[in-house]
Amino acid sequence: MLRTMVVLILLFPLKVWSDSGQKSCLPERTAAHLVWTVNAAENNSLLYQLTNRVQLVGEQSGNFAQFKVRFDPTFDGVSLPYNLYAVLILRDGEPVAWWDYTRSCQGPGLSFFPGREIALPKVNLVGGGAERLQIMVWGKL
């Protein structure tokens, strides 16, 4: 009995320390984690399936890239809403866009149903050659 109490007393600070780290409201896994290479001299497009019903669409023209998250336009059924939590875009390893729709975990994110889409703000590109955009999306049905 005494041995059990000593072990519990010694382990309690470890439990408190391990629980004191900052938690995130974002899902542990991203809905998308991809690299898209664009070139300002060309127009490029991207279509990535986040789920079997929801897509990430990217259009690049000149020095701008525009993204949106939407339900597949060919899907005409009924679905639970898609919840978009955050999007991070890095250009050649440097962050160029971060949209946190949970407002630092103060809100539920953006929810939308089939037939709707979420247009994200434009991303400025440097131009003058190929650029690698690393795109991470947190969201789920």
Side-chain angles (χ1 to χ4, degrees):
M1 176 71 173
L2 181 60
R3 174 187 254 169
T4 303
M5 289 182 65
V6 168
V7 169
L8 290 176
I9 290 170
L10 291 175
L11 291 179
F12 182 74
L14 291 176
K15 173 70 172 142
V16 171
W17 176 74
S18 68
D19 287 345
S20 64
Q22 176 136 358
K23 307 271 190 229
S24 173
C25 61
L26 300 178
E28 287 184 25
R29 297 178 190 232
T30 57
H33 190 162
L34 61 126
V35 174
W36 183 34
T37 302
V38 296
N39 191 329
E42 306 167 1
N43 292 337
N44 297 289
S45 62
L46 167 77
L47 180 63
Y48 184 86
Q49 294 293 134
L50 298 174
T51 71
N52 61 347
R53 297 179 187 145
V54 181
Q55 303 170 332
L56 171 67
V57 178
E59 297 290 333
Q60 178 263 321
S61 179
N63 290 338
F64 296 99
Q66 180 75 52
F67 296 93
K68 60 184 170 184
V69 179
R70 70 179 186 195
F71 272 85
D72 184 340
T74 63
F75 176 69
D76 61 356
V78 176
S79 174
L80 293 172
Y82 188 80
N83 298 307
L84 180 62
Y85 301 118
V87 178
L88 173 63
I89 300 177
L90 305 171
R91 180 183 55 233
D92 297 324
E94 297 295 321
V96 293
W98 166 247
W99 300 294
D100 177 5
Y101 296 108
T102 68
R103 296 183 336 266
S104 297
C105 297
Q106 300 299 308
L110 295 177
S111 297
F112 63 101
F113 289 93
R116 302 293 310 257
E117 64 184 33
I118 303 295
L120 305 177
K122 286 184 179 180
V123 174
N124 293 326
L125 303 174
V126 174
E131 298 177 55
R132 290 174 32 128
L133 299 179
Q134 182 179 357
I135 304 162
M136 289 168 269
V137 178
W138 286 266
K140 63 182 180 178
L141 265 180

